[in-house]
Amino acid sequence: MVNAQETTGNERRARERDELVTPSSLGTPKLNPFGDLHTLQHLSARLARALKGVWEPLLRAEVRSWAEPLVVQRFADYRAERPDRLTAWLPMGMTGPTGNGSVTGGTALIVLDGGFVLEVLDLFFGGTGAAPAQLPAEFSPAAEALVARLGLLLATPLKTAWEPLAAQDFVPRRVEANATMLAGIDSEDACVVTRFGLAKGTGAPVFVDIVYPVGSLKPHTATLTGKVLDKADPDPAWRSGLARSVMAVKFPVRSVLAEPVVPLQLLLNLKPGDVIPITVTADVPVMVGRDCLGAGTVGTSNGRAAIRLTHLARIEGLNA
């Protein structure tokens, strides 16, 4: 589930529009052809968990990472809502097969605040993560190289998050500091904005946006309109931990050597020293809880009473 509870009112970047824009009046172009976008929302939550592994080594600290609710809006409106300062616009080429046998050729857009990029750059070169109070008008070659590196680092978790939906590769292209220089994205294009918050400890969060033009998502319309991710694989670490926990569960194992039957008269007259005769059969039952595991022969092992299993009833029953 998308962690919309992670942020408070002063953490979340203000938005004047509704979180999910739908067509309202006649003649207005339909911004969102995918319905409620539950699938993409789950995909964003899946990606948010993976982003911790990307940012923590770069920021040299443990971070909280969460996905904000989706927004569908025109690209011009999205640009107008962003602060008027240095921003890195990194196009990510999307390529991969679709359900009808064709190959997609869309574009996603990673949007990073310039101040955050310069903080990461300072940390990368051994600094304290300080950004200049007055941001420059454009990025230095070193900053552009860092953004390109970030694109390569983000491509792997993006591909992994998309796997339950589609086999999709992400390839970073040239970073731009001016959104008007972006090729293939028009100001009137409808876009799905997925926003991810990052915070160190109790510090103020920073936000990284991944913007999907609706045209790039249309080849996946059939799966995007689904309610859940049908092919989501369990996390390997979680599955391994579950297996270890299950294997550590303990069950009581017992054996019944004999069950003699005596009349009530004998029971009433029993006194210390009396002997109740029993007959031990060749094979005695071995029980796990109330179920019969099998049977075995009574003997000794290392000076202690033991049973050698000669018959496993449950395993043979499963094999049958």
Side-chain angles (χ1 to χ4, degrees), residues 164-231:
L165 183 64
Q168 202 71 36
D169 290 318
F170 293 84
V171 180
R173 297 173 180 166
R174 177 181 172 81
V175 61
E176 297 288 353
N178 188 345
T180 61
M181 302 297 293
L182 294 169
I185 302 180
D186 188 80
S187 61
E188 292 302 311
D189 287 346
C191 298
V192 180
V193 181
T194 61
R195 177 161 294 168
F196 302 90
L198 303 169
K200 295 190 292 185
T202 58
V206 295
F207 295 91
V208 176
D209 291 351
I210 300 179
V211 180
Y212 300 98
V214 166
S216 298
L217 297 179
K218 280 188 176 179
H220 309 292
T221 300
T223 47
L224 283 174
T225 52
K227 296 296 183 182
V228 295
L229 298 178
D230 296 331
K231 301 178 181 179

Short mmCIF file of all heavy atoms in Angstrom, two decimals, residues 164-231:
data_model
loop_
_atom_site.label_atom_id
_atom_site.label_comp_id
_atom_site.label_asym_id
_atom_site.label_seq_id
_atom_site.Cartn_x
_atom_site.Cartn_y
_atom_site.Cartn_z
N PRO A 164 6.39 -7.00 -12.54
CA PRO A 164 5.07 -7.63 -12.48
C PRO A 164 4.08 -7.09 -13.50
O PRO A 164 3.08 -7.73 -13.80
CB PRO A 164 4.59 -7.31 -11.04
CG PRO A 164 5.83 -6.99 -10.29
CD PRO A 164 6.75 -6.34 -11.27
N LEU A 165 4.36 -5.90 -14.03
CA LEU A 165 3.47 -5.27 -14.99
C LEU A 165 3.92 -5.51 -16.42
O LEU A 165 3.13 -5.90 -17.28
CB LEU A 165 3.42 -3.76 -14.73
CG LEU A 165 2.48 -2.93 -15.59
CD1 LEU A 165 1.03 -3.34 -15.34
CD2 LEU A 165 2.67 -1.44 -15.28
N ALA A 166 5.21 -5.31 -16.69
CA ALA A 166 5.75 -5.48 -18.04
C ALA A 166 7.27 -5.53 -17.96
O ALA A 166 7.88 -4.92 -17.07
CB ALA A 166 5.32 -4.33 -18.96
N ALA A 167 7.88 -6.25 -18.91
CA ALA A 167 9.34 -6.29 -19.00
C ALA A 167 9.79 -4.98 -19.66
O ALA A 167 9.70 -4.82 -20.87
CB ALA A 167 9.78 -7.49 -19.83
N GLN A 168 10.25 -4.07 -18.84
CA GLN A 168 10.52 -2.72 -19.31
C GLN A 168 11.94 -2.32 -18.95
O GLN A 168 12.37 -2.44 -17.80
CB GLN A 168 9.53 -1.74 -18.66
CG GLN A 168 9.34 -0.45 -19.39
CD GLN A 168 8.55 -0.62 -20.68
OE1 GLN A 168 7.64 -1.44 -20.75
NE2 GLN A 168 8.91 0.12 -21.71
N ASP A 169 12.71 -1.86 -19.93
CA ASP A 169 14.05 -1.34 -19.68
C ASP A 169 14.01 0.18 -19.65
O ASP A 169 13.24 0.82 -20.37
CB ASP A 169 15.02 -1.80 -20.78
CG ASP A 169 15.31 -3.30 -20.69
OD1 ASP A 169 15.49 -3.79 -19.57
OD2 ASP A 169 15.34 -3.95 -21.75
N PHE A 170 14.87 0.76 -18.82
CA PHE A 170 14.95 2.21 -18.68
C PHE A 170 16.38 2.65 -18.98
O PHE A 170 17.33 2.16 -18.35
CB PHE A 170 14.53 2.65 -17.28
CG PHE A 170 13.07 2.43 -16.99
CD1 PHE A 170 12.62 1.19 -16.56
CD2 PHE A 170 12.15 3.45 -17.16
CE1 PHE A 170 11.28 0.97 -16.29
CE2 PHE A 170 10.81 3.25 -16.89
CZ PHE A 170 10.36 2.01 -16.46
N VAL A 171 16.54 3.56 -19.92
CA VAL A 171 17.86 4.02 -20.35
C VAL A 171 17.94 5.53 -20.21
O VAL A 171 17.14 6.25 -20.82
CB VAL A 171 18.14 3.61 -21.82
CG1 VAL A 171 19.52 4.09 -22.25
CG2 VAL A 171 18.00 2.10 -22.00
N PRO A 172 18.87 6.05 -19.37
CA PRO A 172 18.96 7.50 -19.21
C PRO A 172 19.49 8.17 -20.47
O PRO A 172 20.35 7.65 -21.17
CB PRO A 172 19.95 7.67 -18.04
CG PRO A 172 20.73 6.39 -18.01
CD PRO A 172 19.81 5.32 -18.50
N ARG A 173 18.92 9.36 -20.75
CA ARG A 173 19.36 10.17 -21.88
C ARG A 173 20.02 11.44 -21.37
O ARG A 173 20.40 11.53 -20.21
CB ARG A 173 18.16 10.46 -22.80
CG ARG A 173 17.56 9.19 -23.41
CD ARG A 173 16.27 9.49 -24.17
NE ARG A 173 15.70 8.26 -24.75
CZ ARG A 173 14.47 8.17 -25.22
NH1 ARG A 173 13.66 9.22 -25.18
NH2 ARG A 173 14.02 7.03 -25.73
N ARG A 174 20.11 12.44 -22.19
CA ARG A 174 20.80 13.68 -21.82
C ARG A 174 19.96 14.47 -20.82
O ARG A 174 18.78 14.74 -21.05
CB ARG A 174 21.08 14.52 -23.06
CG ARG A 174 21.72 15.88 -22.75
CD ARG A 174 21.94 16.67 -24.03
NE ARG A 174 22.37 18.03 -23.73
CZ ARG A 174 23.62 18.36 -23.44
NH1 ARG A 174 24.57 17.44 -23.42
NH2 ARG A 174 23.94 19.62 -23.19
N VAL A 175 20.60 14.90 -19.73
CA VAL A 175 19.92 15.70 -18.73
C VAL A 175 19.80 17.13 -19.22
O VAL A 175 20.69 17.65 -19.91
CB VAL A 175 20.68 15.64 -17.39
CG1 VAL A 175 22.09 16.19 -17.52
CG2 VAL A 175 19.92 16.39 -16.30
N GLU A 176 18.68 17.77 -18.87
CA GLU A 176 18.44 19.15 -19.25
C GLU A 176 18.14 19.96 -17.98
O GLU A 176 17.49 19.49 -17.06
CB GLU A 176 17.26 19.27 -20.22
CG GLU A 176 17.47 18.57 -21.55
CD GLU A 176 18.46 19.29 -22.47
OE1 GLU A 176 18.89 20.41 -22.10
OE2 GLU A 176 18.81 18.73 -23.51
N ALA A 177 18.60 21.21 -17.95
CA ALA A 177 18.26 22.13 -16.87
C ALA A 177 17.05 22.99 -17.24
O ALA A 177 16.49 23.67 -16.38
CB ALA A 177 19.45 23.02 -16.53
N ASN A 178 16.65 22.95 -18.52
CA ASN A 178 15.52 23.73 -19.01
C ASN A 178 14.48 22.77 -19.59
O ASN A 178 14.75 22.05 -20.56
CB ASN A 178 15.99 24.72 -20.07
CG ASN A 178 14.90 25.69 -20.49
OD1 ASN A 178 13.71 25.48 -20.21
ND2 ASN A 178 15.29 26.75 -21.18
N ALA A 179 13.30 22.74 -19.01
CA ALA A 179 12.27 21.79 -19.44
C ALA A 179 11.82 22.02 -20.87
O ALA A 179 11.33 21.09 -21.53
CB ALA A 179 11.07 21.84 -18.50
N THR A 180 11.96 23.25 -21.36
CA THR A 180 11.54 23.53 -22.74
C THR A 180 12.44 22.84 -23.76
O THR A 180 12.07 22.74 -24.93
CB THR A 180 11.53 25.04 -23.01
OG1 THR A 180 12.85 25.56 -22.82
CG2 THR A 180 10.57 25.75 -22.07
N MET A 181 13.61 22.37 -23.33
CA MET A 181 14.54 21.70 -24.24
C MET A 181 14.27 20.21 -24.34
O MET A 181 14.92 19.51 -25.11
CB MET A 181 15.98 21.93 -23.78
CG MET A 181 16.38 23.40 -23.69
SD MET A 181 16.32 24.20 -25.31
CE MET A 181 17.65 23.34 -26.15
N LEU A 182 13.30 19.70 -23.58
CA LEU A 182 13.02 18.27 -23.60
C LEU A 182 12.35 17.89 -24.91
O LEU A 182 11.38 18.53 -25.34
CB LEU A 182 12.12 17.88 -22.43
CG LEU A 182 12.72 18.04 -21.02
CD1 LEU A 182 11.64 17.88 -19.97
CD2 LEU A 182 13.85 17.03 -20.81
N ALA A 183 12.85 16.83 -25.51
CA ALA A 183 12.27 16.36 -26.77
C ALA A 183 11.22 15.29 -26.49
O ALA A 183 11.40 14.44 -25.61
CB ALA A 183 13.37 15.78 -27.67
N GLY A 184 10.12 15.33 -27.24
CA GLY A 184 9.11 14.29 -27.14
C GLY A 184 8.06 14.51 -26.09
O GLY A 184 7.16 13.68 -25.91
N ILE A 185 8.14 15.62 -25.32
CA ILE A 185 7.12 15.91 -24.31
C ILE A 185 6.61 17.32 -24.56
O ILE A 185 7.35 18.30 -24.44
CB ILE A 185 7.68 15.80 -22.88
CG1 ILE A 185 8.25 14.40 -22.63
CG2 ILE A 185 6.59 16.10 -21.85
CD1 ILE A 185 8.83 14.21 -21.24
N ASP A 186 5.33 17.42 -24.92
CA ASP A 186 4.72 18.72 -25.20
C ASP A 186 4.07 19.27 -23.94
O ASP A 186 3.67 18.52 -23.04
CB ASP A 186 3.67 18.56 -26.31
CG ASP A 186 3.14 19.90 -26.77
OD1 ASP A 186 3.81 20.57 -27.57
OD2 ASP A 186 2.04 20.27 -26.31
N SER A 187 3.95 20.57 -23.88
CA SER A 187 3.39 21.21 -22.69
C SER A 187 1.94 20.81 -22.44
O SER A 187 1.47 20.83 -21.30
CB SER A 187 3.51 22.73 -22.80
OG SER A 187 2.78 23.20 -23.93
N GLU A 188 1.20 20.42 -23.49
CA GLU A 188 -0.19 20.03 -23.33
C GLU A 188 -0.37 18.53 -23.12
O GLU A 188 -1.50 18.06 -22.98
CB GLU A 188 -1.00 20.47 -24.57
CG GLU A 188 -1.14 21.98 -24.70
CD GLU A 188 -1.80 22.60 -23.48
OE1 GLU A 188 -2.86 22.08 -23.06
OE2 GLU A 188 -1.26 23.58 -22.95
N ASP A 189 0.71 17.78 -23.10
CA ASP A 189 0.61 16.34 -22.88
C ASP A 189 0.14 16.06 -21.45
O ASP A 189 0.60 16.69 -20.49
CB ASP A 189 1.97 15.65 -23.10
CG ASP A 189 2.34 15.58 -24.58
OD1 ASP A 189 1.45 15.82 -25.42
OD2 ASP A 189 3.51 15.29 -24.89
N ALA A 190 -0.77 15.08 -21.30
CA ALA A 190 -1.18 14.63 -19.98
C ALA A 190 -0.11 13.71 -19.41
O ALA A 190 0.49 12.90 -20.13
CB ALA A 190 -2.52 13.91 -20.06
N CYS A 191 0.17 13.84 -18.13
CA CYS A 191 1.22 13.06 -17.48
C CYS A 191 0.72 12.51 -16.15
O CYS A 191 -0.12 13.12 -15.48
CB CYS A 191 2.46 13.94 -17.22
SG CYS A 191 3.23 14.59 -18.70
N VAL A 192 1.25 11.36 -15.78
CA VAL A 192 1.03 10.79 -14.46
C VAL A 192 2.27 11.10 -13.63
O VAL A 192 3.37 10.66 -13.97
CB VAL A 192 0.78 9.28 -14.52
CG1 VAL A 192 0.56 8.72 -13.11
CG2 VAL A 192 -0.40 8.95 -15.41
N VAL A 193 2.10 11.85 -12.56
CA VAL A 193 3.22 12.26 -11.71
C VAL A 193 3.28 11.34 -10.50
O VAL A 193 2.33 11.28 -9.70
CB VAL A 193 3.08 13.72 -11.27
CG1 VAL A 193 4.26 14.14 -10.40
CG2 VAL A 193 2.95 14.63 -12.49
N THR A 194 4.38 10.62 -10.36
CA THR A 194 4.62 9.79 -9.18
C THR A 194 5.71 10.48 -8.37
O THR A 194 6.78 10.76 -8.88
CB THR A 194 5.03 8.37 -9.56
OG1 THR A 194 6.25 8.40 -10.31
CG2 THR A 194 3.96 7.70 -10.39
N ARG A 195 5.43 10.76 -7.12
CA ARG A 195 6.35 11.53 -6.27
C ARG A 195 6.84 10.66 -5.12
O ARG A 195 6.07 9.94 -4.49
CB ARG A 195 5.65 12.77 -5.74
CG ARG A 195 6.48 13.63 -4.80
CD ARG A 195 5.90 15.02 -4.71
NE ARG A 195 6.04 15.70 -6.00
CZ ARG A 195 5.42 16.83 -6.30
NH1 ARG A 195 4.62 17.40 -5.42
NH2 ARG A 195 5.59 17.40 -7.48
N PHE A 196 8.16 10.74 -4.85
CA PHE A 196 8.78 9.93 -3.80
C PHE A 196 9.46 10.86 -2.81
O PHE A 196 10.24 11.74 -3.18
CB PHE A 196 9.79 8.96 -4.41
CG PHE A 196 9.19 8.02 -5.42
CD1 PHE A 196 9.14 8.36 -6.76
CD2 PHE A 196 8.64 6.82 -5.02
CE1 PHE A 196 8.56 7.52 -7.70
CE2 PHE A 196 8.05 5.97 -5.94
CZ PHE A 196 8.01 6.32 -7.28
N GLY A 197 9.16 10.65 -1.54
CA GLY A 197 9.77 11.44 -0.48
C GLY A 197 10.96 10.72 0.12
O GLY A 197 10.95 9.50 0.28
N LEU A 198 11.99 11.48 0.45
CA LEU A 198 13.20 10.95 1.10
C LEU A 198 13.50 11.83 2.30
O LEU A 198 13.49 13.06 2.19
CB LEU A 198 14.39 10.96 0.14
CG LEU A 198 14.26 10.20 -1.18
CD1 LEU A 198 15.42 10.55 -2.09
CD2 LEU A 198 14.19 8.71 -0.94
N ALA A 199 13.76 11.21 3.44
CA ALA A 199 14.07 11.98 4.63
C ALA A 199 15.10 11.23 5.47
O ALA A 199 15.03 10.01 5.61
CB ALA A 199 12.81 12.24 5.44
N LYS A 200 16.05 11.99 6.01
CA LYS A 200 17.05 11.44 6.93
C LYS A 200 16.64 11.79 8.35
O LYS A 200 16.58 12.97 8.70
CB LYS A 200 18.43 12.01 6.62
CG LYS A 200 18.99 11.61 5.27
CD LYS A 200 20.45 12.01 5.12
CE LYS A 200 20.64 13.50 5.06
NZ LYS A 200 22.06 13.86 4.79
N GLY A 201 16.35 10.76 9.15
CA GLY A 201 15.96 11.00 10.53
C GLY A 201 14.73 11.88 10.62
O GLY A 201 13.71 11.64 9.98
N THR A 202 14.86 12.96 11.40
CA THR A 202 13.75 13.90 11.56
C THR A 202 13.91 15.12 10.66
O THR A 202 13.17 16.10 10.81
CB THR A 202 13.66 14.36 13.03
OG1 THR A 202 14.92 14.97 13.40
CG2 THR A 202 13.37 13.18 13.95
N GLY A 203 14.86 15.07 9.73
CA GLY A 203 15.10 16.20 8.85
C GLY A 203 13.98 16.39 7.85
O GLY A 203 13.14 15.51 7.62
N ALA A 204 13.97 17.58 7.24
CA ALA A 204 12.96 17.88 6.22
C ALA A 204 13.16 16.99 5.01
O ALA A 204 14.30 16.69 4.62
CB ALA A 204 13.05 19.35 5.82
N PRO A 205 12.09 16.52 4.39
CA PRO A 205 12.23 15.61 3.25
C PRO A 205 12.56 16.36 1.97
O PRO A 205 12.34 17.57 1.85
CB PRO A 205 10.85 14.96 3.15
CG PRO A 205 9.92 16.02 3.67
CD PRO A 205 10.67 16.75 4.74
N VAL A 206 13.12 15.63 1.03
CA VAL A 206 13.26 16.09 -0.34
C VAL A 206 12.39 15.18 -1.20
O VAL A 206 12.06 14.06 -0.80
CB VAL A 206 14.73 16.06 -0.83
CG1 VAL A 206 15.57 17.04 -0.05
CG2 VAL A 206 15.30 14.65 -0.73
N PHE A 207 12.02 15.67 -2.38
CA PHE A 207 11.10 14.92 -3.23
C PHE A 207 11.73 14.71 -4.59
O PHE A 207 12.34 15.61 -5.17
CB PHE A 207 9.77 15.66 -3.37
CG PHE A 207 9.00 15.75 -2.09
CD1 PHE A 207 9.17 16.85 -1.25
CD2 PHE A 207 8.14 14.74 -1.70
CE1 PHE A 207 8.47 16.94 -0.06
CE2 PHE A 207 7.44 14.83 -0.51
CZ PHE A 207 7.61 15.92 0.31
N VAL A 208 11.59 13.48 -5.08
CA VAL A 208 12.04 13.11 -6.42
C VAL A 208 10.80 12.66 -7.19
O VAL A 208 10.05 11.80 -6.71
CB VAL A 208 13.08 11.97 -6.37
CG1 VAL A 208 13.47 11.54 -7.78
CG2 VAL A 208 14.32 12.42 -5.60
N ASP A 209 10.59 13.24 -8.35
CA ASP A 209 9.42 12.92 -9.16
C ASP A 209 9.82 12.05 -10.34
O ASP A 209 10.88 12.24 -10.94
CB ASP A 209 8.76 14.19 -9.69
CG ASP A 209 8.10 15.01 -8.59
OD1 ASP A 209 8.01 14.51 -7.46
OD2 ASP A 209 7.70 16.15 -8.88
N ILE A 210 8.96 11.08 -10.66
CA ILE A 210 9.06 10.33 -11.91
C ILE A 210 7.76 10.58 -12.65
O ILE A 210 6.68 10.23 -12.17
CB ILE A 210 9.30 8.83 -11.67
CG1 ILE A 210 10.59 8.62 -10.88
CG2 ILE A 210 9.37 8.09 -13.01
CD1 ILE A 210 10.91 7.16 -10.59
N VAL A 211 7.88 11.22 -13.80
CA VAL A 211 6.73 11.65 -14.58
C VAL A 211 6.59 10.74 -15.80
O VAL A 211 7.53 10.58 -16.57
CB VAL A 211 6.88 13.12 -15.02
CG1 VAL A 211 5.68 13.56 -15.84
CG2 VAL A 211 7.07 14.02 -13.80
N TYR A 212 5.39 10.16 -15.96
CA TYR A 212 5.11 9.29 -17.10
C TYR A 212 4.11 10.00 -18.02
O TYR A 212 2.95 10.18 -17.63
CB TYR A 212 4.50 7.96 -16.66
CG TYR A 212 5.36 7.13 -15.76
CD1 TYR A 212 5.18 7.15 -14.37
CD2 TYR A 212 6.35 6.28 -16.27
CE1 TYR A 212 5.96 6.36 -13.53
CE2 TYR A 212 7.13 5.49 -15.44
CZ TYR A 212 6.93 5.54 -14.07
OH TYR A 212 7.70 4.77 -13.24
N PRO A 213 4.51 10.40 -19.21
CA PRO A 213 3.49 10.89 -20.16
C PRO A 213 2.47 9.81 -20.45
O PRO A 213 2.82 8.62 -20.55
CB PRO A 213 4.33 11.23 -21.41
CG PRO A 213 5.72 11.45 -20.89
CD PRO A 213 5.88 10.51 -19.74
N VAL A 214 1.20 10.19 -20.53
CA VAL A 214 0.14 9.21 -20.76
C VAL A 214 0.39 8.42 -22.03
O VAL A 214 0.12 7.21 -22.08
CB VAL A 214 -1.23 9.92 -20.79
CG1 VAL A 214 -2.31 9.00 -21.36
CG2 VAL A 214 -1.62 10.38 -19.39
N GLY A 215 0.96 9.06 -23.05
CA GLY A 215 1.25 8.34 -24.29
C GLY A 215 2.23 7.21 -24.10
O GLY A 215 2.15 6.18 -24.79
N SER A 216 3.17 7.35 -23.17
CA SER A 216 4.14 6.28 -22.90
C SER A 216 3.51 5.11 -22.16
O SER A 216 4.03 3.99 -22.20
CB SER A 216 5.32 6.82 -22.10
OG SER A 216 6.01 7.82 -22.81
N LEU A 217 2.39 5.36 -21.46
CA LEU A 217 1.73 4.31 -20.69
C LEU A 217 0.62 3.61 -21.45
O LEU A 217 0.16 2.54 -21.04
CB LEU A 217 1.16 4.90 -19.39
CG LEU A 217 2.16 5.50 -18.40
CD1 LEU A 217 1.41 6.05 -17.20
CD2 LEU A 217 3.18 4.46 -17.95
N LYS A 218 0.17 4.20 -22.56
CA LYS A 218 -0.96 3.61 -23.28
C LYS A 218 -0.74 2.18 -23.74
O LYS A 218 -1.68 1.38 -23.74
CB LYS A 218 -1.34 4.51 -24.46
CG LYS A 218 -2.18 5.71 -24.04
CD LYS A 218 -2.71 6.49 -25.22
CE LYS A 218 -3.63 7.62 -24.75
NZ LYS A 218 -4.14 8.42 -25.89
N PRO A 219 0.49 1.75 -24.15
CA PRO A 219 0.66 0.35 -24.50
C PRO A 219 0.38 -0.61 -23.35
O PRO A 219 0.19 -1.81 -23.57
CB PRO A 219 2.14 0.27 -24.92
CG PRO A 219 2.48 1.66 -25.35
CD PRO A 219 1.70 2.55 -24.44
N HIS A 220 0.34 -0.11 -22.10
CA HIS A 220 0.10 -0.95 -20.93
C HIS A 220 -1.28 -0.72 -20.33
O HIS A 220 -1.51 -1.02 -19.16
CB HIS A 220 1.18 -0.67 -19.87
CG HIS A 220 2.57 -0.74 -20.38
ND1 HIS A 220 3.17 -1.91 -20.78
CD2 HIS A 220 3.50 0.24 -20.59
CE1 HIS A 220 4.40 -1.65 -21.20
NE2 HIS A 220 4.63 -0.36 -21.09
N THR A 221 -2.20 -0.18 -21.13
CA THR A 221 -3.53 0.15 -20.62
C THR A 221 -4.22 -1.03 -19.97
O THR A 221 -4.83 -0.92 -18.90
CB THR A 221 -4.41 0.71 -21.75
OG1 THR A 221 -3.80 1.90 -22.28
CG2 THR A 221 -5.81 1.04 -21.25
N ALA A 222 -4.13 -2.21 -20.60
CA ALA A 222 -4.84 -3.39 -20.09
C ALA A 222 -4.39 -3.75 -18.68
O ALA A 222 -5.22 -4.11 -17.83
CB ALA A 222 -4.63 -4.57 -21.03
N THR A 223 -3.10 -3.66 -18.41
CA THR A 223 -2.60 -4.02 -17.09
C THR A 223 -2.72 -2.86 -16.10
O THR A 223 -2.90 -3.09 -14.90
CB THR A 223 -1.13 -4.48 -17.17
OG1 THR A 223 -0.40 -3.54 -17.97
CG2 THR A 223 -1.03 -5.84 -17.80
N LEU A 224 -2.63 -1.64 -16.57
CA LEU A 224 -2.76 -0.50 -15.67
C LEU A 224 -4.15 -0.35 -15.09
O LEU A 224 -4.33 0.22 -14.02
CB LEU A 224 -2.38 0.80 -16.40
CG LEU A 224 -0.89 1.05 -16.61
CD1 LEU A 224 -0.68 2.28 -17.46
CD2 LEU A 224 -0.18 1.20 -15.27
N THR A 225 -5.15 -0.84 -15.80
CA THR A 225 -6.52 -0.73 -15.30
C THR A 225 -6.87 -1.86 -14.34
O THR A 225 -7.99 -1.91 -13.83
CB THR A 225 -7.52 -0.74 -16.47
OG1 THR A 225 -7.27 -1.88 -17.31
CG2 THR A 225 -7.40 0.52 -17.29
N GLY A 226 -5.93 -2.79 -14.09
CA GLY A 226 -6.17 -3.84 -13.12
C GLY A 226 -6.09 -3.30 -11.71
O GLY A 226 -5.54 -2.23 -11.44
N LYS A 227 -6.63 -4.06 -10.77
CA LYS A 227 -6.68 -3.63 -9.38
C LYS A 227 -5.43 -3.99 -8.60
O LYS A 227 -5.09 -3.37 -7.62
CB LYS A 227 -7.90 -4.25 -8.68
CG LYS A 227 -9.23 -3.78 -9.25
CD LYS A 227 -9.41 -2.29 -9.04
CE LYS A 227 -10.76 -1.84 -9.54
NZ LYS A 227 -10.96 -0.39 -9.40
N VAL A 228 -4.75 -5.08 -9.00
CA VAL A 228 -3.57 -5.53 -8.27
C VAL A 228 -2.53 -5.97 -9.26
O VAL A 228 -2.79 -6.18 -10.44
CB VAL A 228 -3.89 -6.71 -7.31
CG1 VAL A 228 -4.84 -6.27 -6.21
CG2 VAL A 228 -4.49 -7.88 -8.07
N LEU A 229 -1.31 -6.16 -8.76
CA LEU A 229 -0.23 -6.71 -9.58
C LEU A 229 -0.31 -8.22 -9.50
O LEU A 229 0.01 -8.83 -8.49
CB LEU A 229 1.13 -6.21 -9.07
CG LEU A 229 1.34 -4.68 -9.13
CD1 LEU A 229 2.69 -4.31 -8.55
CD2 LEU A 229 1.22 -4.19 -10.56
N ASP A 230 -0.74 -8.85 -10.61
CA ASP A 230 -1.01 -10.29 -10.57
C ASP A 230 0.24 -11.12 -10.41
O ASP A 230 0.20 -12.21 -9.84
CB ASP A 230 -1.72 -10.70 -11.87
CG ASP A 230 -3.08 -10.05 -11.98
OD1 ASP A 230 -3.69 -9.77 -10.95
OD2 ASP A 230 -3.51 -9.81 -13.12
N LYS A 231 1.38 -10.65 -10.93
CA LYS A 231 2.56 -11.49 -10.98
C LYS A 231 3.64 -11.03 -10.01
O LYS A 231 4.81 -11.29 -10.21
CB LYS A 231 3.13 -11.50 -12.40
CG LYS A 231 2.15 -12.02 -13.45
CD LYS A 231 2.76 -11.97 -14.84
CE LYS A 231 1.79 -12.45 -15.90
NZ LYS A 231 2.36 -12.38 -17.27
#
